[in-house]
Amino acid sequence: MSLGDEPGYPETGHTRTRLPESDPYGGASRRGGRSSSRSLVTVVGVVVLLIAAIAFANRGGGGDSPAAKTTGGNGSQPGTSSTAASGTRPVETKSDGIPTGFAQSQQGAQSAAANYATSLGSDAMFNTVERHTIVQTVADPSTENTLQSGFDADYSADFLKKVGLNPDGTAPAGSTFVSRTLPVGTKVTSYSNDSATVDVWCNGLFGIAGGTSTTPVTNNWFTVTMKLNWNNGDWKVLESSQKTGPTPVTGDNPVSGSDEISRAVQEFGGFTYAR
């Protein structure tokens, strides 16, 4: 039913977060300033990584055949063709603000799964009316009622209170609620003309930005698996599940304060995703 153990992909407990120089929500200082020697080591490390990346990208470029460039070296690794963008333009139609009208192809199924994961992991899911609209738009008619009742149970009044939200799914006055799902890539694990299973690797943001928030905005990594059905000229969701990761090592960026996060959420819009 739900895309994860908790709706909206709020698996914040599985994420390593770099602590700021001072608590972005007004707490005491967590750590001292960095030394210049550490900064130098960081710069040198980045340069070494860049050199290694360039060497890796250019190795064997002289004598490779076209086939060699699109297949794995040992036959077990994915080739560049499996991860490169298709170049196909994203859909231009939307239903209730959600991209629709995807092609009946593997590329179309991947694009649909990425966009549906974004909608089902958005802050709109925390409002009953908006949640019902999203599910009605993306769900296959055969499973719509099941999905709808499952999500309604997940987004209960107790859950909203637990994460610090008002009964209508909004943030308390003076704060900003953040729930965004950002697809990083997609992979088809099974496909036929009328059905597809697609994995969507995602980064997620979840929490409440505000001076009194006890659930600050954190990020987490997870993979959503969607089973899709071709119905009435579009891909529709039959069921979905979620697992944690793959999770990269957290970078050394300083954590932003709640005001900066709130402005970013209000100023930066989302995307329509295309494979």
Side-chain angles (χ1 to χ4, degrees):
M1 297 180 189
S2 166
L3 290 178
D5 293 335
E6 296 182 6
Y9 313 115
E11 295 185 355
T12 55
H14 301 289
T15 303
R16 293 174 54 211
T17 303
R18 179 184 180 275
L19 298 179
E21 304 302 323
S22 60
D23 191 308
Y25 291 82
S29 175
R30 304 274 189 127
R31 57 188 293 180
R34 298 186 207 165
S35 67
S36 59
S37 61
R38 180 183 175 186
S39 298
L40 178 60
V41 170
T42 300
V43 172
V44 173
V46 170
V47 172
V48 171
L49 288 174
L50 286 174
I51 294 174
I54 292 172
F56 178 81
N58 291 332
R59 68 180 184 181
D64 285 347
S65 64
K69 293 180 180 180
T70 57
T71 58
N74 59 13
S76 62
Q77 299 296 322
T80 55
S81 61
S82 65
T83 57
S86 67
T88 303
R89 294 185 62 184
V91 295
E92 297 181 352
T93 56
K94 290 189 176 183
S95 298
D96 295 306
I98 301 172
T100 55
F102 297 96
Q104 190 176 10
S105 64
Q106 291 196 39
Q107 176 270 327
Q110 291 179 79
S111 297
N115 285 283
Y116 294 165
T118 300
S119 296
L120 292 169
S122 68
D123 56 359
M125 289 291 289
F126 290 75
N127 176 274
T128 302
V129 174
E130 294 183 34
R131 178 171 66 251
H132 287 182
T133 298
I134 292 172
V135 175
Q136 289 167 7
T137 301
V138 307
D140 188 79
S142 66
T143 59
E144 179 182 329
N145 290 337
T146 300
L147 290 172
Q148 196 71 270
S149 61
F151 280 121
D152 286 343
D154 290 335
Y155 292 92
S156 64
D158 287 341
F159 174 74
L160 297 181
K161 182 178 180 180
K162 178 181 178 181
V163 298
L165 297 175
N166 297 321
D168 62 353
T170 59
S175 58
T176 302
F177 175 50
V178 184
S179 180
R180 288 198 183 188
T181 296
L182 315 170
V184 176
T186 57
K187 177 180 66 175
V188 173
T189 58
S190 67
Y191 180 82
S192 68
N193 284 336
D194 58 4
S195 66
T197 301
V198 181
D199 288 343
V200 186
W201 183 27
C202 304
N203 180 227
L205 303 176
F206 184 85
I208 298 177
T212 61
S213 172
T214 58
T215 54
V217 180
T218 59
N219 64 56
N220 57 104
W221 291 85
F222 50 91
T223 297
V224 176
T225 297
M226 285 197 177
K227 291 186 178 181
L228 305 174
N229 182 52
W230 183 257
N231 186 297
N232 196 26
D234 206 355
W235 292 107
K236 297 296 182 180
V237 179
L238 286 174
E239 61 179 86
S240 59
S241 59
Q242 176 185 328
K243 65 180 180 180
T244 301
T247 303
V249 175
T250 302
D252 202 33
N253 297 37
V255 176
S256 300
S258 61
D259 288 344
E260 185 177 357
I261 293 295
S262 296
R263 287 197 304 271
V265 171
Q266 296 164 8
E267 296 173 356
F268 289 84
F271 298 97
T272 296
Y273 292 86
R275 176 66 173 89

